[in-house]
Amino acid sequence: MVWTRRSIMLGGLALLGTSAVSKPAAAAASSYFDGAAVDNGVTFRSTNFAKIDRRWHRQVVKYFSSEPIGTVVVDTRHHFLYLIMENKTAIRYGVGVGREGFKWFGRATIDAKSLWPRWTPPPEMRKRHPELPEFVSGGSPKNPLGPRAMYLHRDGVDTGYRFHGTLEPWSIGKDASSGCIRMFNEDAIDLYQRCPIGTAVQVLPHIADQAEGATQVSETTPVE
């Protein structure tokens, strides 16, 4: 994909990653969480994976690709992110992707990473939503980036797109964001530690035909 001015502007909106999916009623939303976990001194709500369709659980699958080991490939149509491993396998994560008008495809690299990142809404977003704060501190329960952010660059330029956690676990598996790839918080933590700076990323419309179990849960090995 050619990264146009419009693409980059849309990328500026990618950080919010909320509001596209109608939030469930409070009681229903709370059922997606189960207890609390502590990460680097920050306490956050744990995802209730018993509530989550097993299709979106992190797991190892058979995977066939010409991409090098260590590459991250995102299948936006089927809402999966793959980290390519040895022996024709990959770790597969369920993800939320950009909603209509905010989808993007192409190659990038993870050129920056942040632990409990601060979120600063871009000016264009604050114009549309003047109620938004100037920033939300890292570790805040209202921070839409969650515990980790991995910043995608192309040719040394920040695209505005990220891999990050989410406040809305029910949005995984949906076209939900303003372009960013959102993950369960536990999965964002896991991917962060597996992807060094310089990790190659490819975002494709769909690649399900390359991976066993991409459209249905098959004989896969869960990742602990």
Side-chain angles (χ1 to χ4, degrees), residues 31-51:
S31 70
Y32 283 87
F33 301 97
D34 181 24
V38 178
D39 172 78
N40 286 272
V42 178
T43 300
F44 67 100
R45 292 189 293 176
S46 300
T47 304
N48 177 14
F49 284 99
K51 174 79 174 178

Side-chain angles (χ1 to χ4, degrees), residues 137-191:
S137 298
S140 166
K142 296 182 178 180
N143 189 318
L145 300 184
R148 301 289 188 275
M150 288 150 275
Y151 302 85
L152 305 182
H153 291 62
R154 187 169 188 267
D155 298 328
V157 177
D158 186 351
T159 65
Y161 299 112
R162 288 89 175 88
F163 299 149
H164 63 74
T166 183
L167 297 175
E168 301 180 346
W170 53 85
S171 69
I172 300 302
K174 297 181 172 61
D175 297 348
S177 77
S178 296
C180 283
I181 305 302
R182 57 169 68 170
M183 311 177 73
F184 294 118
N185 289 333
E186 294 83 355
D187 286 354
I189 291 171
D190 184 82
L191 184 67

Side-chain angles (χ1 to χ4, degrees), residues 30 92 96 101 103 105 145 184 203 208:
S30 65
R92 189 184 76 187
K103 298 180 187 300
F105 314 110
L145 300 184
F184 294 118
V203 178

Side-chain angles (χ1 to χ4, degrees), residues 119-121 126 129-136:
W119 175 61
T120 303
R126 294 196 68 218
H129 301 282
E131 73 281 4
L132 289 174
E134 290 186 14
F135 69 90
V136 180

Side-chain angles (χ1 to χ4, degrees), residues 10-11 36 52 55 63 70 100 119 135 205 210 220:
L10 289 178
I52 305 298
R55 165 193 303 263
Y63 182 88
E100 193 60 40
W119 175 61
F135 69 90
Q210 298 179 21
T220 55

